[in-house]
Amino acid sequence: MNIDTPILSSLSQRRWRFPVMGLIAVLIAGGGWIMYTKTTTAQAKDGEKAMAKKEPVYELAAVDVVKITARELSLNLPISGSLMPASQTTVRAKVAAEVHETLVQEGMPVRKGQVIARFDSADLRARFNIQDAAVDEAQARLALAQKNRHSNEALLKQNYISQNAFDTTQNSLDLAHASLKSATSQREVAQLAVADTLVKSPVDGIVSKRSVQAGDKVSPDSPLFSIVNLAQLILEAQVPSSEIPRVKIGQNVKFSVDGFGSRSFIGKVARINPSAEAGSRSMLVYVSVENMDGVLKGGMFAKGNLTLEKTNALPVMPVTAVRQHNGSDVVYLIVNNQIQQQVVKLGLRNEDEGVVQVTQGLEPGMQIISTKLDSIKPGSKVSMPKAAIASVPAADVTSDKVKG
């Protein structure tokens, strides 16, 4: 009996059992790794979906968004000064006399040629009568001299008188002519003096001051009335001499006057004083203002702006909306509730009003972020405000801090 046979059979079975068990272990480990990988991938995808679902959406307020509008932008220079009538005159006495009556008072309108005062003319009329009589006397003397000359001329031809006698007669005639001319001139002066007892307005306007009353005695050149014409006024404004090179004849001036509320007035630069004011080193600019309705009065104080330059209508946005990125000016543009970075090219800037013109990069109607919101970046999603979105005001920009 062979004893080794069972032992060999047992050894043979063990040799096959170990490889099979190893293979089974490998298969089990591989299956576990595959399951682990699938689970990890699924978990990663679920995490990404969860992260996508949790991406923040920034809610904007109405003050954070502005709608782009297009309008003109003006480069203005603030000015102020007093309004003075372009035409004003002082009526003065031309003769020495007593004021008989005054026919107008302050604030009353007058027309050119209207009698506004009367003087006592008795003394002047008497002087006129004396001069008138002197003319009559001179005319009689002239007639006699002419008659004598005519007679002596005939006698000279007949040699009844000498040439010297005739020359004397001719000289008397010449003196008579001169006397008549002098008497006539003095009578005209006396006549003008009588006419000057009726004081007439030299211009259309309004009486601003009355300097005499009935019974006052006046002498030649005494002031009687001040009359102003308010149809056209002059705004006298002081401008720094450094700004004068930019001031031109015909430039528009928009100003306001206390007491007229929001009403504004328009004038044009008419003249520029060639000399600077002592001490202030400023120069006077004279602005012509039409005032046909007469609402503006002389001496009123006006404040306004002189338009030095005016641009075409371009998109305008708040200065606070401008950001810097890699040395370029950019804004955050809102497109389909998402932030996009937009490069822009800027024009005139007004620091006081806080606006700037955009020459390239934006169009009217676009919406941008108008304030600095650190949490919002390009690509961020936003929700638009429910309240109405404001636009840049369309009023004229008036400031001395407008920059190019």
Side-chain angles (χ1 to χ4, degrees):
M1 183 175 182
N2 190 356
I3 301 175
D4 295 333
T5 301
I7 296 172
L8 293 173
S9 177
S10 175
L11 292 173
S12 178
Q13 290 178 356
R14 288 180 180 181
R15 290 193 186 110
W16 283 104
R17 183 182 301 169
F18 288 121
V20 171
M21 292 179 64
L23 178 62
I24 292 172
V26 170
L27 290 176
I28 292 173
W33 175 257
I34 292 172
M35 291 298 294
Y36 173 76
T37 303
K38 289 183 178 180
T39 302
T40 304
T41 303
Q43 289 177 351
K45 289 183 179 180
D46 292 341
E48 290 178 358
K49 291 181 180 180
M51 290 295 293
K53 292 181 180 179
K54 293 181 180 180
E55 183 178 352
V57 177
Y58 298 96
E59 184 176 352
L60 299 177
V63 294
D64 299 329
V65 184
V66 66
K67 182 182 292 185
I68 300 299
T69 58
R71 61 178 174 84
E72 296 175 343
L73 194 64
S74 297
L75 175 60
N76 296 325
L77 177 68
I79 63 172
S80 61
S82 298
L83 292 167
M84 303 301 295
S87 175
Q88 54 184 333
T89 183
T90 299
V91 182
R92 299 179 181 275
K94 297 181 180 180
V95 295
E98 180 181 330
V99 179
H100 180 66
E101 63 176 337
T102 56
L103 304 178
V104 293
Q105 299 179 9
E106 291 85 349
M108 294 180 61
V110 294
R111 305 293 296 176
K112 183 178 180 179
Q114 177 182 338
V115 177
I116 56 179
R118 290 190 178 93
F119 295 165
D120 185 0
S121 61
D123 183 54
L124 295 175
R125 288 187 180 279
R127 294 182 184 181
F128 170 75
N129 292 334
I130 292 174
Q131 296 301 326
D132 190 49
V135 170
D136 292 341
E137 181 180 354
Q139 287 175 341
R141 291 179 179 178
L142 176 60
L144 178 60
Q146 288 174 337
K147 184 177 180 181
N148 288 338
R149 181 189 179 283
H150 182 71
S151 300
N152 287 343
E153 185 179 10
L155 292 175
L156 179 63
K157 289 179 180 180
Q158 298 176 9
N159 295 322
Y160 286 125
I161 62 173
S162 64
Q163 184 65 42
N164 289 336
F166 177 77
D167 292 341
T168 301
T169 305
Q170 181 63 45
N171 186 53
S172 298
L173 178 61
D174 294 339
L175 290 175
H177 274 292
S179 297
L180 177 59
K181 186 181 293 185
S182 176
T184 302
S185 297
Q186 292 181 17
R187 183 179 65 177
E188 290 177 357
V189 171
Q191 187 175 14
L192 289 175
V194 173
D196 288 337
T197 58
L198 293 179
V199 181
K200 298 179 180 180
S201 173
V203 294
D204 296 339
I206 298 175
V207 178
S208 62
K209 185 178 181 180
R210 181 180 62 169
S211 303
V212 295
Q213 302 285 348
D216 292 346
K217 291 185 179 293
V218 296
S219 58
D221 210 34
S222 296
L224 305 176
F225 299 92
S226 293
I227 299 175
V228 299
N229 189 334
L230 299 178
Q232 189 178 56
L233 300 177
I234 296 294
L235 171 58
E236 298 181 357
Q238 289 189 345
V239 173
S241 57
S242 60
E243 299 289 348
I244 287 297
R246 297 194 295 172
V247 179
K248 308 296 180 183
I249 303 299
Q251 288 176 334
N252 288 332
V253 175
K254 186 176 182 180
F255 64 92
S256 60
V257 178
D258 290 341
F260 288 92
S262 60
R263 180 176 177 180
S264 60
F265 303 89
I266 301 295
K268 289 184 178 294
V269 176
R271 306 187 308 276
I272 302 173
N273 197 305
S275 301
E277 295 289 315
S280 64
R281 308 310 301 170
S282 60
M283 305 179 77
L284 281 177
V285 173
Y286 303 93
V287 180
S288 178
V289 180
E290 296 295 331
N291 186 40
M292 299 306 297
D293 55 0
V295 295
L296 297 175
K297 310 300 180 184
M300 285 185 169
F301 187 76
K303 294 186 297 183
N305 294 277
L306 192 160
T307 302
L308 300 174
E309 182 183 348
K310 195 172 186 179
T311 66
N312 296 326
L314 292 172
V316 177
M317 68 177 182
V319 175
T320 55
V322 182
R323 305 164 188 264
Q324 294 293 321
H325 181 73
N326 294 333
S328 299
D329 294 319
V330 299
V331 297
Y332 282 177
L333 186 65
I334 304 174
V335 180
N336 297 326
N337 291 339
Q338 191 170 16
I339 301 300
Q340 293 184 4
Q341 184 171 282
Q342 177 67 38
V343 178
V344 293
K345 186 176 180 180
L346 305 180
L348 290 180
R349 181 191 302 262
N350 183 286
E351 302 293 349
D352 287 344
E353 295 293 330
V355 295
V356 61
Q357 277 191 330
V358 182
T359 58
Q360 291 181 6
L362 293 179
E363 297 293 336
M366 290 182 172
Q367 296 178 347
I368 62 173
I369 301 296
S370 61
T371 58
K372 294 292 191 299
L373 301 175
D374 296 333
S375 57
I376 293 181
K377 305 294 180 183
S380 299
K381 292 185 177 182
V382 295
S383 63
M384 300 302 289
K386 297 180 180 180
I389 299 174
S391 301
V392 178
D396 289 339
V397 176
T398 54
S399 173
D400 61 341
K401 296 184 179 180
V402 181
K403 302 177 181 178

